[in-house]
Amino acid sequence: MLLIADLLLVSLLAVRGGEPMCQTYGTKEQSQFHKEGDINIGGIFSFHQNPVSVNPSLQVNPGTIQCEGLDPGELQYAYTMIFAIGEINNSSELLPGVTLGYTIFDSCPRETTSTSTIGIARTMGPFHIPVISHSATCACLSNRRDYPSFFRTIPSDLYQSKALAKLVKHFGWTWVGAIRTNSDYGNDGMATFLEAAEREGVCVEYSVAIYRTDPRKRFLEVVDIIKKSTSKVIVAFADGTDLDILIKELHAQNVTGLQWVGSEGWITYRYIASPVNYAVVQGAVGFAALNAHIPGLQEFLANSRPSTTAGDQGLVELWETAFGCTLTPQTETHAQSSVPACSGKESLWETNTRFTDVSDASLLNNVYKATYAVAHALHMLFTCKDGQGPFENNTCADRENPQTWQVNIKKSQCLN
């Protein structure tokens, strides 16, 4: 699942000193985190969850997409990538003599993780720029013809969908309702589940789709369908953000006592564990990515400090929210603001922010592995011996100027 979730790691490679071939027309979007290296790895994560609607006049440049609703969990993904790059740069065995850098951007979650990844993978494919996702699970992305340079460190939904059908059958739930996120993730995953459920002898009373931008009327219609149904089991192949809206509506109408079966997109979603939501989905079962422990990561997160340098201000909003202060210099007109300036002595160890909570590091580990996959692919290129290379006439890559298509070949050996 992304983007939104959530949503992904993109390995855009740039060698220091290289001149850009082209420039995007329009407003230049600032990165959230940046550090220069011999080779830079690019990242895209959904740091904010709510796109701000604008009404463009089509007469002026509307600027970059605006978002609100900071998600500390997405900041964790970015910092896990930064943490892994730091480990790699300090390694004497992996990429010795080569320094990795990074440029990480924010992405508004207008679509869920798989959908946004599909767009990026389609765009990068013709240029042979490798893309790795830590959470895009849509089975469609396994199509090598359409996505020749896409890789991931999370399993395809093909397996999860079939497993959900077997799980339902195992418990004898042969009459169920089905809810999905109206996206590539939800639609493809549910389609596979419905096929597998039929083979398992499981009947589906209704199958409905929801999406976070749907009007409230749509969510109320789905609530009404659930209330009138005779099935007491609901299989939800959904994104946590979308299902959260529906569950709150169910709670408002006291619709409880149902057995929920969930996909990895929401079954461990933090907001689902809130008191309101738990009253509706308590006892839910489903599948999730395996948890993991990454030594040193929590300490790295808790010891993090914000930067106010342009293009590297991704931690500023979290910092100001956590400590109720401002890192932005006050102008004379705002000198009397009631918000104090940050002292510089604040410590995340003293907060209860989700940013430092690594109790569920399943997707963090996927980001960690994806970053190392890039490093190992580069290492294999740089340790190539003349006459034994994988390219034409057994040649090796130019260490001073590796090409993205060459990294693509080596990465496939790391991840496939």
Side-chain angles (χ1 to χ4, degrees):
M1 199 213 89
L2 176 219
L3 229 0
I4 234 142
D6 79 146
L7 358 199
L8 51 116
L9 181 71
V10 186
S11 59
L12 306 176
L13 303 178
V15 179
R16 176 185 291 171
E19 294 298 326
M21 298 297 292
C22 60
Q23 184 173 351
T24 304
Y25 174 79
T27 303
K28 179 177 176 60
E29 186 167 353
Q30 288 276 9
S31 60
Q32 296 294 302
F33 302 99
H34 176 76
K35 184 176 182 180
E36 195 65 25
D38 298 324
I39 295 177
N40 292 339
I41 303 177
I44 301 178
F45 301 96
S46 294
F47 297 133
H48 295 83
Q49 294 300 306
N50 305 313
V52 177
S53 299
V54 296
N55 185 16
S57 64
L58 303 181
Q59 296 177 340
V60 296
N61 190 330
T64 57
I65 296 175
Q66 300 297 311
C67 264
E68 58 187 11
L70 183 68
D71 185 345
E74 293 287 327
L75 286 174
Q76 277 189 325
Y77 297 148
Y79 260 72
T80 300
M81 174 179 165
I82 294 171
F83 173 75
I85 288 174
E87 283 190 339
I88 294 164
N89 286 340
N90 289 327
S91 171
S92 59
E93 298 180 355
L94 184 59
L95 286 178
V98 178
T99 300
L100 294 183
Y102 52 83
T103 302
I104 302 174
F105 290 92
D106 187 4
S107 169
C108 279
R110 292 185 179 274
E111 307 290 344
T112 51
T113 304
S114 290
T115 300
S116 58
T117 304
I118 286 170
I120 293 174
R122 281 191 184 279
T123 303
M124 300 300 180
F127 301 99
H128 307 292
I129 297 176
V131 177
I132 310 179
S133 175
H134 65 281
S135 60
T137 57
C138 183
C140 59
L141 285 162
S142 296
N143 187 327
R144 270 282 170 259
R145 182 188 63 188
D146 294 339
Y147 310 103
S149 62
F150 174 78
F151 307 92
R152 54 183 157 201
T153 52
I154 192 169
S156 162
D157 281 332
L158 177 66
Y159 311 106
Q160 180 179 198
S161 300
K162 293 179 179 180
L164 283 171
K166 290 185 178 295
L167 178 67
V168 170
K169 177 64 177 297
H170 173 77
F171 286 107
W173 299 327
T174 55
W175 183 236
V176 304
I179 296 172
R180 68 187 186 278
T181 286
N182 192 10
S183 67
D184 293 285
Y185 166 72
N187 293 332
D188 282 32
M190 182 56 74
T192 304
F193 167 78
L194 293 177
E195 293 175 1
E198 184 177 3
R199 290 194 296 270
E200 296 290 343
V202 175
C203 297
V204 178
E205 182 180 8
Y206 60 85
S207 180
V208 294
I210 56 174
Y211 196 69
R212 68 199 66 171
T213 56
D214 288 344
R216 185 174 180 230
K217 177 183 177 182
R218 172 56 182 166
F219 285 93
L220 293 177
E221 289 173 351
V222 175
V223 170
D224 195 48
I225 290 172
I226 294 173
K227 289 170 63 176
K228 292 180 179 178
S229 69
T230 58
S231 57
K232 300 303 179 184
V233 176
I234 298 177
V235 178
F237 213 104
D239 181 88
T241 302
D242 305 314
L243 199 62
D244 182 55
I245 300 172
L246 176 62
I247 289 173
K248 282 181 168 56
E249 295 291 355
L250 289 168
H251 182 268
Q253 297 191 38
N254 196 31
V255 182
T256 60
L258 298 171
Q259 175 63 56
W260 290 78
V261 180
S263 64
E264 106 303 332
W266 69 271
I267 199 67
T268 58
Y269 188 60
R270 286 182 171 95
Y271 297 129
I272 297 297
S274 70
V276 170
N277 290 345
Y278 187 73
V280 176
V281 299
Q282 57 182 313
V285 295
F287 295 101
L290 288 174
N291 204 347
H293 172 65
I294 304 175
L297 178 60
Q298 185 175 36
E299 291 76 10
F300 179 78
L301 295 171
N303 290 326
S304 298
R305 306 291 300 175
S307 166
T308 55
T309 303
D312 193 32
Q313 300 181 8
L315 208 60
V316 168
E317 185 178 351
L318 173 74
W319 202 266
E320 293 181 336
T321 301
F323 298 107
C325 60
T326 179
L327 287 162
T328 307
Q330 298 291 301
T331 62
E332 290 185 13
T333 55
H334 294 87
Q336 303 301 318
S337 171
S338 59
V339 181
C342 298
S343 68
K345 298 180 180 179
E346 300 87 5
S347 171
L348 291 175
W349 284 107
E350 302 168 1
T351 68
N352 192 31
T353 175
R354 278 178 48 213
F355 178 70
T356 58
D357 180 7
V358 295
S359 56
D360 180 3
S362 53
L363 293 184
L364 298 178
N365 192 43
N366 287 348
V367 174
Y368 186 76
K369 291 187 295 184
T371 308
Y372 266 90
V374 176
H376 280 288
L378 288 168
H379 185 84
M380 292 167 69
L381 283 181
F382 295 158
T383 55
C384 174
K385 296 181 180 179
D386 291 336
Q388 300 178 15
F391 310 119
E392 187 176 358
N393 296 325
N394 296 324
T395 58
C396 298
D398 180 356
R399 183 185 175 94
E400 299 301 321
N401 188 29
Q403 301 299 305
T404 55
W405 64 268
Q406 295 172 322
V407 180
N408 204 41
I409 290 175
K410 283 301 181 182
K411 191 173 298 162
S412 67
Q413 296 175 11
C414 293
L415 291 178
N416 285 354

